[in-house]
Amino acid sequence: MFYLVKTPWLVKKYLYDRYVWDMPGKEKKIYLSFDDGPHAVATPFVLDELKKFQAKASFFCIGKNVMDHTDLYRRIINEGHTVGNHTHHHLNGWDADDKIYIKSITEAAKYIDSLLFRPPYGKITRFQARQVLEKLHYHIIMWSVLSGDFDISINPEQCWQNVLKATRPGSIIVFHDSEKAMKRMSYTLPKLLEHYSESGYTFDKIVV
C-alpha cells in the first residue's frame, strides 16, 4: 500500500492550494482528526483518551454511521469537538459519478451539521471540488500527517513512528475511529497525547 505520511509542501502550495492542509500559526498546537466514525467501540475509546488530556479534535463522520450511532455523534459535539462531512457512504471521488458523489454529501448533511468536508481516501476530482467549494460552500479539510493506522501491513509501533517523525506545530493528523484501524490507533493515540502534552503542546479542533 503506497501513501505519503507527510504531505509534500509542493502539493499543498501549488496543486491544491484551496484546500486546508494544516493550521497557521507558530503555537505548539496539534490538530487531531478522526475519519469514518462514529464507531461503537473505536469512537468511545478516542473520546475517553481525549478527555484525559483535555484535548479537542475533529471527527469527519460518515452519514450512515451517524444514523446508526446518533448517541455517539451527540457525545462528540457535547464534549466540545468539531464534526465534518465525510459523505454518506464513504465514496471515492475518483471512481464515483459526479452527481452521485455530490448527492452523497448532501445526504450526509441531513445528519451532520458542519461546513467542513473531507473527501474519503483524500480522492476528489477538480470538478467535484469546485462543486463542494463554490456550490455547497464547504471548506475542504485535508491533512499534513497521515498516521497509516488503516494500513494492516504495519505494526502499531510503526504507526506511532510515522506520527512522531512527521508532526510539527499546526499539523493536521489523520486517524480513523474504525474497526480496521483500532489496533494501531489505540496504541498510537495515547502515546501521542502523552508525549506531546509533556512537550508543551495542546490539541485543538479545526475551525475555519
Side-chain angles (χ1 to χ4, degrees), residues 27-73:
E27 296 178 84
K28 296 178 76 173
K29 284 188 177 184
I30 293 171
Y31 297 82
L32 299 174
S33 65
F34 298 86
D35 289 3
D36 300 354
H39 181 273
V41 176
T43 304
F45 171 84
V46 170
L47 291 170
D48 290 345
E49 291 300 312
L50 294 174
K51 188 180 292 186
K52 292 176 185 177
F53 293 87
Q54 299 181 316
K56 300 304 177 190
S58 302
F59 291 77
F60 291 88
C61 301
I62 296 172
K64 66 180 181 63
N65 289 348
V66 173
M67 291 176 62
D68 293 339
H69 302 289
T70 305
D71 55 336
L72 287 175
Y73 177 75

Side-chain angles (χ1 to χ4, degrees), residues 20 115-118 132-133 137-141 208:
V20 177
L115 286 178
L116 304 182
F117 174 73
R118 173 174 287 161
V132 170
L133 291 166
H137 305 294
Y138 279 93
H139 301 279
I140 297 179
I141 310 298
V208 293

